[in-house]
Amino acid sequence: MKLALATLLLISMLLRSSFLQFAMADPPTVAAPPTVAASSFCDSKCGARCANAGVKDRCLRYCGICCLQCKCVPSGTYGNKSECPCYRDMLNSKGKAKCP
């Protein structure tokens, strides 16, 4: 009886480890880095958008994130968000506008 129980336990452990390896075998997907053209477009547009910002580095960071995702930045230093609905509608975790 003890030998059968030990054998059953050993077999179940081997099966679990093989299923665990299959489940963990897929590497995480990594998004492709932005192209040079997209980042230079965003850098120039966000530089103009954040020219009068009080906290310029934060403005440039969030504007860059929004630009890469939306592929557009509204004109001017404030407002005009209707020109780019994706940029306008992007929200942060607190439900407020993410893009400057």
Side-chain angles (χ1 to χ4, degrees):
M1 180 73 174
K2 290 182 181 180
L3 181 62
L5 184 61
T7 306
L8 184 61
L9 181 63
L10 183 63
I11 291 172
S12 68
M13 288 174 63
L14 288 173
L15 287 174
R16 280 188 178 190
S17 67
S18 65
F19 287 130
L20 181 63
Q21 287 177 353
F22 286 129
M24 295 176 64
D26 293 336
T29 57
V30 177
T35 62
V36 174
S39 68
S40 65
F41 167 79
C42 291
D43 289 345
S44 64
K45 291 288 189 177
C46 289
R49 181 83 178 166
C50 297
N52 298 336
V55 186
K56 193 169 187 170
D57 60 335
R58 185 170 35 182
C59 179
L60 289 171
R61 183 175 354 124
Y62 289 117
C63 180
I65 291 169
C66 295
C67 177
L68 288 174
Q69 289 182 0
C70 296
K71 310 283 190 274
C72 65
V73 175
S75 62
T77 57
Y78 185 79
N80 302 323
K81 289 187 177 182
S82 60
E83 295 175 3
C84 184
C86 170
Y87 191 96
R88 175 193 66 212
D89 297 337
M90 199 175 293
L91 302 175
N92 64 15
S93 61
K94 296 177 183 174
K96 296 190 177 195
K98 179 175 189 165
C99 306

